[in-house]
Amino acid sequence: MLTLAVAMSRESDNAIRSQTLNVFKGLAAVAMVMNHAGYALLTAEVANSGWLGLVVFLGSFAPSLFFFAVGYGAGFGPIGKSVDWASVCKKSTWLILADQLL
């Protein structure tokens, strides 16, 4: 009975962590949109000064926040399962290519 309770507790904890990380990644996406929209819609002077400039500047941290959340979430994978290095290399290659193209 105790084993079942511990297993259910772990599943509940993992679900909460997963939801929290998804919210965090979503906030990073919103920040990225704010950053890109700020530079596209505002003049250079407004985008680099005042409170709007601060919002645009804080949005520039979005990629770092997103990749931190993704990396941190990767640590919640199944325990005892070996790392699929082919998948890791493929995903890393796609991210590098996307970064270079954008």
Side-chain angles (χ1 to χ4, degrees), residues 51-63:
W51 69 273
L52 283 175
L54 178 63
V55 170
V56 172
F57 173 73
L58 292 176
S60 67
F61 290 101

Side-chain angles (χ1 to χ4, degrees), residues 2-102:
L2 180 60
T3 305
L4 179 62
V6 170
M8 289 177 65
S9 174
R10 285 184 187 155
E11 288 176 13
S12 175
D13 289 346
N14 286 340
I16 291 171
R17 283 187 198 125
S18 178
Q19 289 174 352
T20 303
L21 284 171
N22 286 339
V23 169
F24 189 72
K25 289 187 281 187
L27 291 174
V30 168
M32 187 174 294
V33 169
M34 287 185 338
N35 178 265
H36 287 203
Y39 282 116
L41 302 174
L42 301 173
T43 64
E45 183 180 328
V46 174
N48 292 311
S49 63
W51 69 273
L52 283 175
L54 178 63
V55 170
V56 172
F57 173 73
L58 292 176
S60 67
F61 290 101
S64 300
L65 296 173
F66 180 80
F67 288 126
F68 171 78
V70 170
Y72 188 75
F76 293 126
I79 296 173
K81 184 178 177 186
S82 63
V83 176
D84 181 8
W85 288 108
S87 176
V88 170
C89 289
K90 182 175 88 173
K91 290 174 185 173
S92 298
T93 301
W94 278 114
L95 285 172
I96 291 168
L97 285 173
D99 180 56
Q100 293 304 309
L101 291 173
L102 296 176

